[in-house]
Amino acid sequence: MRSQMAELLHEVKLKSLNQEASMMPSVVNERAVQLYPLSNYTFGTKDPQYEKDASVAARFQRMRDEYQTIGMRKTVEGVLLVHEHNLPHVLLLQLGTSFFKLPGCEVRPGEDEVEALKNNLTETLGREGDVIHWGVDELVGNWWRPNYEPPQYPYVPPHITKPKEHRRLFLVRLPDKAMFAVPRNYKLVAAPLFELYDNSTGYGPVISTLPQSLSRFSYVYA
């Protein structure tokens, strides 16, 4: 008799817990991002803008030299999204035939990283006299370079205590229309997410993982 009573009480308690769980609000909160068609934007040209370093070796040497005075390098980059036929595309700067990068810059000591990115986007893609409102919105990626070498990781490896560079990627909301001016030594290309996915050979380890980083968003196509 006691065992039957205990079993009945257990069933009642379990039912009550299930009812409470069904009444709890969902913790899932999917973020919607407004995308505008690529055709809304006009692309002109302006004077070339050159990299600070003439080679990869020179870049790492400068990083090594600066580490002694300012410590770990901090870099910010912008993920600019548009769409074509309701397919999300990322705007990338192309140098030569096979090198692609996100627009961005190094952050000087004491400089606000969001303001640094906005200023760089204006310097890189803005037209003289125009004001573009860059909606630097949400952090979508962190990457660390443990040594003065090309490999980067979306985490700090456990044996590394002093990484040499920290890259932060931000989603940038574009206005519904804008006129861009691209340095003549670059092309500004719109790459679809499906082309970037798992394509580190063509785009490198950071850009090729953007489809995963952006998959938590839903898109509203204008």
Side-chain angles (χ1 to χ4, degrees), residues 20-32:
E20 290 179 9
S22 66
M23 295 173 65
M24 291 177 63
S26 173
V27 296
V28 177
N29 184 20
E30 188 174 45
R31 167 81 185 282

Side-chain angles (χ1 to χ4, degrees), residues 55-221:
S55 65
V56 173
R59 182 171 187 267
F60 289 138
Q61 184 59 53
R62 182 168 64 87
M63 186 182 296
R64 185 186 299 272
D65 295 341
E66 292 178 349
Y67 187 84
Q68 305 305 318
T69 55
I70 63 175
M72 179 182 66
R73 175 175 294 178
K74 297 180 181 179
T75 306
V76 288
E77 299 176 2
V79 180
L80 284 60
L81 296 178
V82 297
H83 80 85
E84 280 198 286
H85 310 296
N86 292 352
L87 294 174
H89 287 56
V90 181
L91 296 182
L92 301 172
L93 290 167
Q94 179 181 352
L95 182 62
T97 58
S98 59
F99 178 74
F100 299 89
K101 70 172 190 173
L102 295 166
C105 63
E106 299 169 20
V107 181
R108 296 187 295 269
E111 185 179 18
D112 180 82
E113 60 185 13
V114 171
E115 290 304 313
L117 179 56
K118 288 181 178 180
N119 291 338
N120 177 265
L121 290 173
T122 296
E123 180 182 338
T124 305
L125 298 175
R127 300 194 316 161
E128 186 175 358
D130 283 0
V131 177
I132 299 177
H133 297 286
W134 308 102
V136 179
D137 199 353
E138 187 167 339
L139 183 69
V140 295
N142 282 286
W143 287 78
W144 284 268
R145 189 188 306 276
N147 300 299
Y148 305 111
E149 299 172 348
Q152 301 170 74
Y153 304 92
Y155 54 87
V156 179
H159 62 286
I160 297 297
T161 58
K162 296 180 179 180
K164 303 306 182 284
E165 183 179 13
H166 182 193
R167 296 174 65 183
R168 288 163 66 83
L169 279 57
F170 290 89
L171 180 67
V172 179
R173 288 179 288 106
L174 293 175
D176 59 345
K177 294 182 180 180
M179 299 181 70
F180 298 123
V182 183
R184 289 191 182 91
N185 55 324
Y186 286 100
K187 293 180 181 178
L188 190 65
V189 299
L193 291 184
F194 65 78
E195 183 179 316
L196 303 181
Y197 176 69
D198 202 26
N199 190 358
S200 60
T201 302
Y203 294 97
V206 176
I207 293 176
S208 64
T209 58
L210 283 177
Q212 293 95 315
S213 300
L214 298 171
S215 64
R216 70 177 186 268
F217 301 114
S218 61
Y219 299 105
V220 178
Y221 302 106

